[in-house]
Amino acid sequence: MCCLCFFQHYLTAYRNSSNVPFCMKGRENELFGNIESLLAFHRDALLPKLEAIRTSPWLIGVCLTDYADEFGQYSLYFRHTKRREEILEMTTSKEFFNTFRSQLGDMMSLQDHLVRPFQRLTRYRQLLEGLSRFMYSGSEWDEDAKYALGLALRQIKFQLRHGNDLHVLDLLQDFDGSIFEQGNLLLQDDFIVFDTQQQKHKRRVFLFEDMIMFTKAQTEGGSPVFKFKNGWKTNELGLTANIRGNPKTFLIWFRKQTAKTTITMQTESEETKMEWVQEINYILYQQAMKFRERYGQAVVYAGVRKQSILKSRPVSTISTMPTGSARLGNLTL
């Protein structure tokens, strides 16, 4: 019996049973999410396409990027992972589904089935990483194939973390605006940042396509929340990627300011720093390409300073709002 068939049996049992435990009533979306459409997409669309190019590995990147929108289903499914695990760990939930598991002769628990989308996406990532190593070891793949492969890998990594990002967004408070108007959430991590008095503050920073947002982690009623402190549009950002003697630190600065203003961003690891630098670089590159397309002229990549090494020193943060930008909360970090 296929994976989708097992889920359909469990779903039918959940929907039709009059003995659904109280802890699970009305929580179908948290338990199963969009698992039916996700598995149907893999079975009916993606898998046949991958099988058709089995002997042409250089086309895998193109194949996966062709389904970029459909891959968004994965992050929507991952969004409820923590709540799903909490529900299924309850004794009454286990007893309820184990009854139907015995009837089906299923060797796997429902929890085992529910984690399979994550395992599948992880295998896609591993496949693409292996192909990337092969590609850069001297393969003769053309530039389009290499570009598509890199784009597909970025897409898969994004979906793997974006489900958790969506869950965290539910915990964001005090932002006077619409989160969903800031574009996709690309990254979120804990940072040490400098304020205008050169004092350190710990902040959870969210990088959206159109905004970088600073929040403060707190606990309310035993649950974590993130209080909005400030934010700036990414079309105002510039980046200095490397600080001499500080491999975990980079600077962001603001092009529309009359006075030079910068924020020092200190990460917990060099890997996190590189991930943020690459993502901000990509945002700035996309902005430059859109500008060139709009005005039909050469673009100076003003968002990234040419010098890659600066002396390490504390720097001031924003003291005034950038010209022409909307005011977003207080001016403190």
Side-chain angles (χ1 to χ4, degrees):
M1 186 180 296
C2 69
C3 185
L4 180 56
C5 295
F6 276 118
F7 277 115
Q8 288 171 337
H9 278 285
Y10 282 116
L11 268 170
T12 300
Y14 175 84
R15 291 168 177 169
N16 298 337
S17 176
S18 59
N19 298 316
V20 175
F22 179 78
C23 66
M24 294 196 302
K25 287 184 177 180
R27 306 186 76 175
E28 179 179 322
N29 187 51
E30 292 176 57
L31 279 168
F32 297 99
N34 58 338
I35 190 68
E36 287 182 293
S37 61
L38 184 59
L39 294 176
F41 153 66
H42 181 267
R43 181 194 63 191
D44 301 333
L46 183 59
L47 186 58
K49 189 74 172 289
L50 289 173
E51 289 175 339
I53 59 172
R54 185 189 298 268
T55 59
S56 307
W58 56 89
L59 295 177
I60 290 179
V62 176
C63 173
L64 295 180
T65 53
D66 282 345
Y67 289 111
D69 292 339
E70 287 80 359
F71 268 97
Q73 297 182 70
Y74 277 95
S75 58
L76 292 176
Y77 177 74
F78 297 154
R79 181 175 189 171
H80 296 302
T81 296
K82 292 182 179 179
R83 292 173 183 161
R84 183 180 301 122
E85 291 173 346
E86 291 172 357
I87 295 171
L88 292 176
E89 281 299 315
M90 296 179 182
T91 302
T92 52
S93 300
K94 290 181 178 179
E95 292 174 349
F96 176 80
F97 284 116
N98 281 341
T99 300
F100 297 98
R101 175 185 174 186
S102 299
Q103 295 173 2
L104 292 170
D106 190 359
M107 301 298 293
M108 299 171 61
S109 69
L110 178 58
Q111 293 95 316
D112 293 332
H113 285 297
L114 289 169
V115 79
R116 291 181 72 172
F118 180 82
Q119 294 171 337
R120 177 177 293 124
L121 206 60
T122 300
R123 287 195 291 270
Y124 288 151
R125 186 201 68 199
Q126 293 169 343
L127 170 65
L128 293 171
E129 288 174 339
L131 289 173
S132 295
R133 288 191 293 270
F134 171 77
M135 179 180 67
Y136 288 109
S137 66
S139 72
E140 297 181 357
W141 291 8
D142 62 40
E143 291 304 313
D144 288 341
K146 292 179 180 179
Y147 175 78
L149 188 66
L151 194 62
L153 181 56
R154 185 173 180 270
Q155 167 186 303
I156 296 298
K157 289 181 175 179
F158 173 78
Q159 294 301 334
L160 281 169
R161 66 171 180 263
H162 192 51
N164 181 62
D165 290 340
L166 292 174
H167 170 70
V168 172
L169 286 182
D170 293 336
L171 308 177
L172 186 61
Q173 298 181 358
D174 298 342
F175 176 63
D176 186 17
S178 172
I179 290 294
F180 301 103
E181 293 180 0
Q182 312 311 319
N184 287 324
L185 175 59
L186 304 175
L187 291 171
Q188 49 110 0
D189 280 292
D190 291 322
F191 282 85
I192 297 296
V193 298
F194 285 94
D195 65 15
T196 51
Q197 286 75 42
Q198 300 181 5
Q199 296 178 337
K200 293 181 179 180
H201 296 275
K202 187 171 184 178
R203 295 289 179 261
R204 173 64 64 90
V205 185
F206 296 86
L207 179 64
F208 296 87
E209 290 175 315
D210 298 324
M211 175 179 287
I212 185 167
M213 184 181 297
F214 294 80
T215 69
K216 183 177 181 179
Q218 296 181 0
T219 301
E220 291 186 355
S223 300
V225 296
F226 299 98
K227 298 283 189 177
F228 174 78
K229 301 298 291 184
N230 216 329
W232 289 271
K233 292 295 185 180
T234 55
N235 61 11
E236 299 168 353
L237 292 184
L239 171 70
T240 300
N242 296 304
I243 308 297
R244 182 183 300 168
N246 286 270
K248 300 178 184 178
T249 302
F250 62 93
L251 306 180
I252 57 174
W253 40 279
F254 297 86
R255 300 195 296 257
K256 294 184 180 180
Q257 295 258 40
T258 54
K260 182 173 69 174
T261 52
T262 57
I263 297 176
T264 301
M265 309 281 290
Q266 182 177 320
T267 64
E268 295 181 349
S269 70
E270 292 183 45
E271 181 181 0
T272 300
K273 177 243 176 122
M274 291 306 302
E275 191 174 23
W276 276 74
V277 166
Q278 290 172 3
E279 203 65 60
I280 294 174
N281 260 325
Y282 184 78
I283 291 173
L284 298 176
Y285 173 79
Q286 291 295 102
Q287 291 173 359
M289 293 302 99
K290 289 179 181 178
F291 186 89
R292 185 172 67 180
E293 291 174 2
R294 181 178 300 175
Y295 296 102
Q297 61 186 23
V299 175
V300 176
Y301 194 24
V304 180
R305 289 176 176 166
K306 293 182 180 179
Q307 62 268 33
S308 59
I309 304 294
L310 294 181
K311 292 182 179 180
S312 173
R313 61 182 179 86
V315 293
S316 299
T317 55
I318 296 304
S319 57
T320 58
M321 288 299 292
T323 303
S325 64
R327 184 181 181 88
L328 298 169
N330 297 324
L331 296 181
T332 59
L333 291 174

